[in-house]
Structures are given as C-alpha cells and as structure tokens.
C-alpha cells in the first residue's frame, strides 16, 4: 500500500508541476506583444488583492477581504509596488480570504489581442459574510476603474466555489445565463482558466476514471475523500469547483438557444462559440468537451498538445473537425476567417519581431492554403466599405440560420419539444426574423462592427423609368455623376422607391456630414429635397437604439419612431398654379380640383427594431397611408417615442 501511495503521490506531484508550468507559460504569453498598461495591470492584479492598503488602488476604509492563498509575489512586483505607490511590504500577513485569481476567456490564449478585454475570477470559499463579500465587490469596482484610467477594459467577478456544486444560477458575466449555461459555463472556465495566483484547480488532478490505488470510487466526491484520507493530496492546496457531469440535452439546447440569441446583435463575435456548442451537440449523448481533452493531456503529461493546451486553438480544431466531418465547407471558411480576425496579427504586414501568436497563425494559413491576397484583404477589414461588409454579412446570415435549423433538429432528435419554453423559442425566432428576414419594405442593416468607417464621399441617386433595359426604380452609386465614372461600376443598392434607398444609406452609415449628394430623375437634378430629408433623418431618427427587450419581442410590434414624408417621390405642387379664389383645400385644389399630395412614404422603426418603409402614390395615397398607419397603431399600443 505504501508503494502504491508513493506512486500516486508522484503522479499528483507531476500534475501539480504540469499545471504550474502551464500557468507560467500562459502568463508569459499573455504579456507578449501587449501594451505596457496591459502588462502593468495584469502583473499587479494579484498583489492588489493580496494586500489592502491606502497607498494601493482599490483601497476601502472598511473590513475588506485580503490575502490570496499560496501567494508568492516576485521581487519585480514588490519593487514595482514600491516605485509606483511607495508601498512597503508588511512584516507578516497570515490572512488568506481569497483562494485564487484566475483569468478566463481569450486571455493567455492565441485569441487574445491588443483589443481584448480582461475577465478575472476572484475565487472565494464560502467563509465570507455577506458584508465582507460586498466589500470585496466594491474593491473590484475600484480596481476596474483604476484599469480603465490606464485604458484597459478589466472585469472582475467574485465567484463562490460552491456556485457550481450547489447549482447557484445568479447572473454571472453580465448575462442572464441561468441554469441553461450552468455546466457549460464551468466547462468554459476549466477550458480557458489560467492561474494568476492562489490554489490549483482540483478537477485536473482527480483521476478521470476515479481510481486511486487500484480502487475505483463511485463518485467524484468519494474519490477526493480517498485522496485526502490517504494523504495523497492536501485539501487546502487545491480549489474545487466540482465535476463536469450531467451535460444534458436540455443544457445543450438552452445554452445554444441563448448563444444564438446573443449572436444576433454581434454575429461576428459569437460565431466560434455558437459553432462549438453545435459541435458538442452533434456527438450527443457522448460528452467530450474540450476541457475533458485538456484534462486527459495533463494527466498523461502531454501538455504540449493543442498548442500547449491553448483554449482558442483547441476550439478551432474541434469546430473544424466537426465541419469537415459534415462537409460544411462554407461555414469552415467563415470560422477560419473569424479566427484570423480574432487573432488580429495582420500577416501581410512585415514584422521583425514576430510574436508566438503570429508564428502559430502563419502555420495555420499554410495548412488552409491561403495565399497572401486572401489574408491581405482581411488585414484591411477595418477599412472595408459596404460591398465587402455585405458580402460577409450574407455568409454570417446563412451560418446563423443553419445553426438555428440544426438547433431545432437537435431538439426534435432528443424529444425536447415539451421541455422547450414556447416563450423562449418565440422570442429567439422573432429576434432572428426581425434582424435578418428580407421583406419588400424592410431596410436591412448590417451590424458586424468590422469596418471603422462605411461613409462615402459621394452618393448619386439615379431614377430609371418604365420600359428601359434596367428595372424601373432608383439606384445608388458611390461615384459622382460623371459618365465614365458611373459606367462599369456596380450600383450599391436598388429600391423601387427613393425614401427606402436614402434610408438604407443612412441607417447603414454611408452618409456623413461631408457626403455630397447627386440626384438624377430624367431632366430633374434638384437634390434639395433629398438633402432636407437626410437632415430630418439625422435630427429625428437615431441610428443606435437600445436592443429590443424580451418583453417587446414577445409582444405585438408597435411603432416607436415615425416619419411621414410627403411628395418626395411625386410632387404635384411643382406643376401647380397658385389659385386663391376658387378652392384652397390641398386635397381638392383649384379649378382642376387636384390633390397636392402626390406621394406619401411612412418610415418607421418598430418595437422589434425593424425599420420599415411603406410607399403610397396616386389620388388615394393619403387615405391609404392613414389606413395603413391606423392598422399598425392599435388602440392598446403606446404612442411613438418621436
């Protein structure tokens, strides 16, 4: 038994060494190529939570938890505290209210870039009173503010270790993830967590087969009891968030539903997470998340696998293998594009001191058989104009809808119909269609946040009449109306009606204060009306509005912002002689009893954040517009905001 214990002790010690070596490597990688401000915040964070002193950022004049278990600050950090804050180390510090600090998400991985946020978990072990925990959270807000002043987006989360063991579902990371993301959030933590200071994660040391000294235990908890009783581990050296068990179909469905819902507002950012969940659900009921893979590599001492267990690199591998298996090559191309942009290394620009990220990315693009032209285009994505953004928007749209269909199929395969909340599904469906459904009067807006500036220097609106080669309606070009500049160029957008076309340009941010407008409708070249219309839009119609709430999406759509545009398309007053003696009714004017309203356009944003245009022309246009408006403003509806 003593011999077996020694073998087991040797095994555990080697795992501890693997975990510490990985933490050191990832810490070094996290600092590589980052700004001095980032390096300063990242390096000092553990010391700011270990010590609590008026000279240091985050100080509160109240009983605030301090001290990190197993903390060993470097001489460089202590010198930095002395130089920057004139802080001298105390003689003794026996307190350890905090168990560990872990970074998670893209930090320390190839997915970390100079624009990445820092997400840090402050892990505590349930011995803090509510008052002291509140004090620790206040300290977190002060340290976040200190980082913000240095230009670093830092988010700190105080996390009880029993959050997952006892299945607490309070909001975490600013998201209403609830029980749907319970185990999958823990999986993401185990997959991406990197130790900054404190105790090691026990889950990585507990044998996957729950066997200790030739005895297999019935549960994860019993296995830990055996390791402690046989003095193979010292319990207070480890932090335990519990096992990754019970990944149910309901959780996969719920988490995928939430991720898909979230991705509608920032589809480019969420593609990788959404597809990872799809890849996990593809092999369900077999549960093999990436965190399991990482634990296997650590327990077999193969920590150099997967680019040294890089969470984003392994995520890319898992998604790629899945898409290749199902022969979905368009989405595979999109995933590689998203990954390339996430790493943000710009391979087309020479670099005399390449980072480790750049070297890995160079190997990947060789595997993908990308030529320089391919990644040079992506390297200039911040300068893209509407054509390139729309091209990738179409691919993202197809990806989202494919994911939505696959999610519904997964639900049906696993008989989840009765477990799916009809309200949740209705809200997701409505949000998907409100964002992406193409309808005749609806303005499609591109929400990718790739390019920094979609504005154009000049926009030319040209009208084509009936009985011409091109279909009748309005076309917009991003050139000035010089014949040899227009000919051979593709128009940006077409609409049968001018209001919709101008609004499309406005809501997709093509129009700036300096944009020049040109207007051709046969012989008429007067652009005054368009200019006035655009001025009105800027004044009354905000482009950015809060996202539709779940309550709004579940309820009937109501008009929120409304513009009624008269005679932009067809203006009878230009052909009319003033007549003060006969009849001055604008709908029945003068001797000829003409209507002075030739066209009415209703431009409105509804409570689902759709932007719609309705066009009416002819002698009955006013009545038709009023009828359409009343149909959309039912008696229980709130009045429009403006």
């Amino acid at each position: 038994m003593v011999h077996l214990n020694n073998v087991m002790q040797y095994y555990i010690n080697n795992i501890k060494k693997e975990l510490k070596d990985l933490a050191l490597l990832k810490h070094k990688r996290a600092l590589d190529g980052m700004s001095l401000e980032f390096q300063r915040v990242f390096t000092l964070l553990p010391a700011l939570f270990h010590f609590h002193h008026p000279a240091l950022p985050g100080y509160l004049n109240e009983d605030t938890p301090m001290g990190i278990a197993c903390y060993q600050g470097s001489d460089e950090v202590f010198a930095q505290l002395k130089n920057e804050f004139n802080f001298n180390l105390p003689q003794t510090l026996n307190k350890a209210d905090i168990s560990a600090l872990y970074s998670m998400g893209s930090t320390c991985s190839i997915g970390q870039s100079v624009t990445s946020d820092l997400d840090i978990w402050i892990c505590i072990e349930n011995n803090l009173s509510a008052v002291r925990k509140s004090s620790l959270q206040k300290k977190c807000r002060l340290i976040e503010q200190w980082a913000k002043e240095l230009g670093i987006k830092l988010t700190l989360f105080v996390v009880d270790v029993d959050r997952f063991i006892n299945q607490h579902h309070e909001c975490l990371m600013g998201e209403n993830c609830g029980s749907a993301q319970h185990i999958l959030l823990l999986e993401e933590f185990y997959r991406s967590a990197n130790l900054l200071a404190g105790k090691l994660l026990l889950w990585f040391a507990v044998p996957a087969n729950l066997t200790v000294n030739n005895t297999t235990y019935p549960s994860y908890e019993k296995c830990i009891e055996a390791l402690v009783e046989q003095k193979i581990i010292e319990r207070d050296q480890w932090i335990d968030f519990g096992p990754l068990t019970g990944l149910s179909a309901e959780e996969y469905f719920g988490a995928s539903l939430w991720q898909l819902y979230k991705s509608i507002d920032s589809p480019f950012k969420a593609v990788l997470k959404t597809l990872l969940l799809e890849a996990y659900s593809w092999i369900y009921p077999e549960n093999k998340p990436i965190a399991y893979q990482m634990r296997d590599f650590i327990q077999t001492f193969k920590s150099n696998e997967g680019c040294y267990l890089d969470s984003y690199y392994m995520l890319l591998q898992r998604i790629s293998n899945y898409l290749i298996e199902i022969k979905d090559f368009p989405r595979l191309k999109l995933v590689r594009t998203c990954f390339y942009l996430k790493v943000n290394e710009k391979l087309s620009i020479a670099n005399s001191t390449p980072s480790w990220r750049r070297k890995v990315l160079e190997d990947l693009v060789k595997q993908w058989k990308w030529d320089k032209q391919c990644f040079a285009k992506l390297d200039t994505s911040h300068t893209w104009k509407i054509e390139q953004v729309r091209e990738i928007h179409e691919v993202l749209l197809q990806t989202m809808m494919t994911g939505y269909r696959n999610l519904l199929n997964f639900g049906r395969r696993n008989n989840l119909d009765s477990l799916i909340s009809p309200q949740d599904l209705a809200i997701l469906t409505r949000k998907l269609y409100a964002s992406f459904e193409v309808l005749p009067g609806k303005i499609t807006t591109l929400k990718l946040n790739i390019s920094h500036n979609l504005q154009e220097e000049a926009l030319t609106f040209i009208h084509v009449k009936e009985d011409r080669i091109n279909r009748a309606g309005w076309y917009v070009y991003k050139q000035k109306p010089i014949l040899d500049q227009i000919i051979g160029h593709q128009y940006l957008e077409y609409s049968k009606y001018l209001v919709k076309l101008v609004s499309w340009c406005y809501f997709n941010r093509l129009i700036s204060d300096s944009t020049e407008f040109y207007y051709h409708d046969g012989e008429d070249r007067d652009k005054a009306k368009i200019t006035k219309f655009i001025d009105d839009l800027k004044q009354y119609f905000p482009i950015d509005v809060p996202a539709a709430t779940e309550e709004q999406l579940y309820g009937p759509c109501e008009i929120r912002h409304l513009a009624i545009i008269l005679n932009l398309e067809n203006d009878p007053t230009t052909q009319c002689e003033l007549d003060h003696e006969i009849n001055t009714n604008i709908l029945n004017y003068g001797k000829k009893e003409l209507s002075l309203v030739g066209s009415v356009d209703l431009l409105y944003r509804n409570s689902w954040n759709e932007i719609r245009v309705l066009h009416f022309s002819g002698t009955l246009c006013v009545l038709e517009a009023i009828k359409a408006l009343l149909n959309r403003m039912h008696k229980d509806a709130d009045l429009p905001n403006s």
Side-chain angles (χ1 to χ4, degrees), residues 13-29 194-195 200 298 301 303-304 308-309:
N13 287 342
N14 277 339
I15 285 179
K16 284 167 76 172
K17 184 177 183 306
E18 292 272 304
L19 291 171
K20 288 177 180 176
D21 288 350
L22 265 175
L24 285 171
L25 172 69
K26 291 185 176 184
H27 192 278
K28 184 181 173 186
R29 285 181 161 188
N194 188 61
L195 179 70
L200 297 167
I298 286 168
F301 310 109
S303 297
N304 60 329
Y308 288 91
L309 306 193

Side-chain angles (χ1 to χ4, degrees), residues 279-531:
Y280 282 174
S281 62
W282 171 251
I283 57 172
Y284 184 82
E286 189 179 359
N287 281 322
K288 277 195 175 176
I290 292 171
Y292 279 19
Q293 226 180 323
M294 288 180 161
R295 183 181 61 176
D296 289 345
F297 287 140
I298 286 168
Q299 294 186 352
T300 53
F301 310 109
K302 297 176 184 173
S303 297
N304 60 329
E305 296 288 336
C307 196
Y308 288 91
L309 306 193
D310 184 283
S311 58
Y312 261 80
Y313 185 89
M314 294 180 75
L315 175 145
L316 174 71
Q317 284 182 317
R318 177 63 67 91
I319 295 170
S320 300
N321 292 341
Y322 160 65
L323 293 173
I324 289 167
E325 185 181 348
I326 65 170
K327 296 182 171 55
D328 191 339
F329 300 108
R331 287 202 293 168
L332 178 64
K333 183 182 176 184
L334 176 67
V335 162
R336 289 170 174 174
T337 298
C338 291
F339 187 84
Y340 183 91
L341 290 170
K342 173 71 177 159
V343 177
N344 195 26
E345 276 293 330
K346 301 193 183 339
L347 297 184
S348 62
I349 301 168
N351 191 320
S352 56
T353 55
S355 68
W356 71 273
R357 291 181 183 85
R358 188 181 179 95
K359 291 171 185 171
V360 172
L361 198 59
E362 284 171 345
D363 290 340
L364 283 171
V365 297
K366 282 178 191 169
Q367 290 174 30
W368 301 342
K369 296 183 170 56
W370 280 13
D371 56 25
K372 187 173 180 180
Q373 186 181 0
C374 184
F375 51 77
K377 180 183 176 183
L378 294 177
D379 289 344
T380 59
S381 61
H382 61 287
T383 67
W384 282 0
K385 291 300 182 183
I386 193 76
E387 302 97 320
Q388 294 99 328
V389 173
R390 184 158 52 181
E391 182 184 323
I392 204 157
H393 180 267
E394 292 299 317
V395 180
L396 276 164
L397 171 56
Q398 292 305 318
T399 298
M400 300 263 292
M401 298 314 283
T402 302
Y404 176 61
R405 287 191 294 271
N406 289 345
L407 175 62
L408 294 182
N409 289 335
F410 173 76
R412 290 188 193 106
R413 278 202 313 273
N414 291 281
N415 299 315
L416 297 181
D417 290 352
S418 60
L419 297 167
I420 301 165
S421 156
Q423 181 170 336
D424 284 351
L425 206 51
I427 289 168
L428 172 67
T429 305
R430 197 163 277 176
K431 187 167 183 178
L432 269 173
Y433 280 91
S435 297
F436 298 118
E437 188 179 23
V438 177
L439 294 169
K442 185 174 165 184
I443 293 171
T444 303
T445 53
L446 312 178
K447 315 178 197 175
L448 300 188
N449 299 323
I450 302 175
S451 175
H452 296 169
N453 182 5
L454 293 175
Q455 295 170 354
E456 296 292 350
E457 292 178 10
L459 292 171
T460 299
F461 297 91
I462 296 177
H463 185 237
V464 173
K465 297 190 183 318
E466 298 286 351
D467 303 324
R468 301 291 172 88
I469 295 172
N470 293 332
R471 60 182 163 163
W474 288 91
Y475 297 79
V476 62
Y477 291 82
K478 65 175 184 178
Q479 287 81 21
K480 293 183 179 180
I482 301 166
L483 195 61
D484 57 355
Q485 285 191 14
I486 292 277
I487 289 177
H489 281 90
Q490 177 68 23
Y491 59 88
L492 291 181
E493 181 74 343
Y494 160 85
S495 175
K496 192 172 181 183
Y497 303 113
L498 182 58
V499 166
K500 186 183 175 191
L501 194 59
V502 175
S503 300
W504 179 85
C505 295
Y506 170 71
F507 287 108
N508 281 298
R509 303 176 192 273
L510 274 64
I511 294 172
S512 70
D513 290 339
S514 59
T515 303
E516 294 183 60
F517 303 107
Y518 300 91
Y519 169 86
H520 281 256
D521 183 5
E523 298 303 312
D524 183 6
R525 300 189 176 199
D526 179 13
K527 63 180 181 184
K529 282 191 176 181
I530 287 185
T531 306

Side-chain angles (χ1 to χ4, degrees), residues 73-84:
S74 66
D75 291 340
E76 290 85 351
V77 167
F78 296 149
Q80 201 175 347
L81 292 174
K82 173 67 177 168
N83 294 338
E84 289 192 33

Side-chain angles (χ1 to χ4, degrees), residues 54-284:
L56 298 177
Y59 179 73
L60 283 165
N61 189 18
E62 54 187 72
D63 182 16
T64 304
M66 61 186 288
I68 302 172
C70 315
Y71 176 74
Q72 293 177 318
S74 66
D75 291 340
E76 290 85 351
V77 167
F78 296 149
Q80 201 175 347
L81 292 174
K82 173 67 177 168
N83 294 338
E84 289 192 33
F85 307 107
N86 196 26
F87 173 73
N88 295 307
L89 295 182
Q91 292 297 313
T92 57
L93 183 67
N94 298 321
K95 296 176 73 175
D97 292 320
I98 298 165
S99 299
L101 261 63
Y102 276 89
S103 70
M104 73 166 294
S106 62
T107 308
C108 304
S109 78
I110 193 172
Q112 177 189 326
S113 72
V114 290
T115 59
S116 294
D117 299 344
L118 253 177
D119 291 330
I120 309 290
W121 282 18
I122 316 298
C123 306
I124 57 175
E125 292 187 273
N126 311 314
N127 52 359
L128 293 185
S129 67
V131 172
R132 298 192 76 222
K133 184 176 176 182
S134 172
S135 180
L136 181 58
Q137 287 169 330
K138 288 179 196 171
K139 175 168 181 163
C140 288
R141 303 294 81 81
L142 291 172
I143 291 177
E144 287 170 355
Q145 185 58 38
W146 166 74
K148 186 179 179 181
E149 288 165 7
L150 293 171
I152 304 301
K153 174 73 191 303
L154 168 69
T155 311
L156 299 164
F157 306 99
V158 177
V159 185
D160 287 303
V161 295
D162 74 341
R163 169 189 162 82
F164 297 98
I165 295 169
N166 293 337
Q167 299 195 16
H168 294 168
H169 301 318
E170 75 274 11
C171 179
L172 187 65
M173 304 186 77
E175 299 170 353
N176 181 23
C177 44
S179 59
Q181 294 249 50
H182 171 66
I183 290 294
L184 286 159
L185 180 61
L186 180 59
E187 193 272 330
E188 184 183 356
F189 175 66
Y190 280 151
R191 171 173 22 110
S192 64
N194 188 61
L195 179 70
L196 301 189
K199 301 179 182 181
L200 297 167
L201 290 170
L202 182 55
W203 182 76
F204 283 101
V206 176
N209 61 3
L210 304 180
T211 299
V212 178
N213 292 338
N214 294 337
T215 302
T216 301
Y217 292 87
S219 69
Y220 174 84
E221 292 74 20
K222 292 290 184 189
C223 187
I224 292 173
E225 284 176 20
L227 288 168
V228 173
E229 285 170 8
Q230 295 174 37
K231 295 185 168 52
I232 295 166
I233 64 168
E234 291 182 45
R235 185 63 187 81
D236 61 1
Q237 292 182 356
W238 302 84
I239 187 168
D240 183 25
F241 281 94
L244 271 182
T245 53
L247 283 158
S248 66
E250 291 87 348
E251 275 195 320
Y252 277 129
F253 188 89
S256 301
L257 195 73
W258 171 245
Q259 201 59 249
L260 195 56
Y261 178 83
K262 232 179 33 163
S263 68
I264 294 167
D265 290 324
S266 53
F268 217 71
K269 192 176 174 184
V271 164
L272 296 173
K273 279 189 175 181
T274 306
L275 276 168
L276 179 66
L277 286 172
E278 191 179 314
Y280 282 174
S281 62
W282 171 251
I283 57 172
Y284 184 82

